[in-house]
Amino acid sequence: MHTFLNYLVVLAVAALLLGPSLYGVARERRIDRQLRGAAAGRSKARRAQKSSSRSTVPSTATW
């Protein structure tokens, strides 16, 4: 019975020590995915903007 409790204590201490680190790694990966997605969206928008056949000169018509 004491051996089982010792294992539980070791697992609890390991969880307390590793928990914040694992949470931080998961958070960093999520942020990296968001940054990659934003960069991909931005590059797609630039490609669509460059391939447009419309003129980018503003109209000078006045009313």
Side-chain angles (χ1 to χ4, degrees), residues 6-40:
N6 288 340
Y7 282 127
L8 285 180
V9 169
V10 168
L11 287 175
V13 170
L16 287 173
L17 292 174
L18 294 175
S21 176
L22 295 175
Y23 174 77
V25 168
R27 183 173 178 258
E28 289 291 325
R29 289 181 58 133
R30 179 181 51 86
I31 291 170
D32 288 343
R33 274 196 312 271
Q34 289 175 345
L35 289 173
R36 277 195 304 267

